[in-house]
Amino acid sequence: MLRWTVHLEGGPRRVNHAAVAINEKIYSFGGYCTGEDYETRLPIDVHVLDIVSLRWKLIPQTQGYELYGDTPYQRYGHSAVAYGDSAFIWGGRNDTDGACNILYNYDTTNKKWSNVKSKGPRPGARDGHSACVINDKMYIFGGYEERIDRFSDDIYCFDFNTKSWSYVRCSGTPARWRDFHTAIGIDNIMYIFGGRSDAGGNMFTNNEMYCNKIQAFDTLSKTWFTPFTCGIPPPGRRSHSVFVKGQCMYIFGGYNGEHDIHFKDVFKYDTVTKRWSMVNVKGQGPCARRRQCCCMINDKVYLFGGTSPSSYPIIEPDGEEISLMDLCDLHVLDMQPTLKTLAKMVVLDHKLDTSFLPRDIRWELSAMTTPNVITRPMNSNG
């Protein structure tokens, strides 16, 4: 039984950010928030979530730095993967510096950035692509390439052992050109779902398409294929989240531009039985949204940020109406809640007296309900 167990407000307000889980901490990189200054070049911000206290901390970054130096500039639409004790950030863009194709390494042990010195042909600068790690290699697929103004359907591979990039020559019919899709690795297969395509093929004509078919890439045979599926698939969407439990992939949220719909549903695809199913999740979950992040640690999924339709549109000084609200909340989805967790939920749901409970239990209950606080170090950016 899946259950939403935590809802906290007051974390980093971020949209189109990227995040990874390393050593039972969650590291969130970059993204944007409506109203912030993106004309001034700043280093990318790093927020860290302690999953025990459920509190965020802003890590101080270098004040002055060179473009394409060791520290990436602030960006959105980038990807982040975990490998060992490091997070690897690639791609993304901002309004001042455009898109980037430099690979950066954030060492979570010493909290330092480095520009990864690599060899081989790098993929073109883009945002809205996907990245996943399979067998010591990172696979980059899709996205929108700013310099040549087109959607991509190619695959590039970065080998962590040799520090080398390579263009992957594939057989089979590739997944359609797209951006803001998701990719996950199960065994040797990369599964692609969703994203925004265009009726113009790889060219942007503002005639959006949203496919709900899974397409897969076998990293051993380097072959694209379309898996057989049964059951009821989710509607097509972009800017959704994906996470993996066992041999199953789960989809949450996202947005369909053809019908102007934000989602808050959870769907599961079982790669063994090939069946789609809609998951009935207990508890009060997140509101409908897109461009959020989610990371899984043990049996819990931590979902935060994104943007959601606003009941009260904001009118900018230039008269532009903003109908989306940037979010700063945190939700925890427990894939296998224990009896202790379920008991805590009863206490919280019914506002029962906790004064007689042991101090450690009262503290745990408080952590699940107290508004979040971001610890900001001295002289930090963000």
Side-chain angles (χ1 to χ4, degrees), residues 322-333:
I322 299 177
S323 59
L324 295 174
M325 175 177 58
D326 298 343
L327 303 168
C328 63
D329 52 357
L330 168 71
H331 295 263
V332 178
L333 174 62

Side-chain angles (χ1 to χ4, degrees), residues 97-116:
D97 300 302
C100 177
N101 71 340
I102 306 295
L103 181 62
Y104 292 95
N105 169 24
Y106 182 74
D107 189 322
T108 61
T109 302
N110 59 30
K111 297 181 175 60
K112 289 186 178 180
W113 285 102
S114 62
N115 182 329
V116 179

Side-chain angles (χ1 to χ4, degrees), residues 46-76:
V46 182
H47 288 88
V48 183
L49 176 69
D50 184 319
I51 65 168
V52 176
S53 66
L54 296 179
R55 296 296 179 263
W56 289 97
K57 180 178 182 180
L58 179 64
I59 304 299
Q61 300 301 309
T62 305
Q63 289 278 0
Y65 69 106
E66 296 179 359
L67 185 63
Y68 307 128
D70 284 336
T71 304
Y73 55 74
Q74 180 71 330
R75 64 191 62 198
Y76 53 87

Side-chain angles (χ1 to χ4, degrees), residues 95 98 141-142 152 158 176 219 270:
D95 298 338
F141 170 75
S152 173
F158 179 78
R176 188 178 177 85
T219 60
D270 189 318

Side-chain angles (χ1 to χ4, degrees), residues 11-32:
R13 193 179 300 275
R14 282 290 173 261
V15 179
N16 266 352
H17 43 312
V20 297
I22 299 176
N23 295 329
E24 301 202 339
K25 282 186 169 57
I26 292 174
Y27 295 81
S28 177
F29 302 94
Y32 68 86

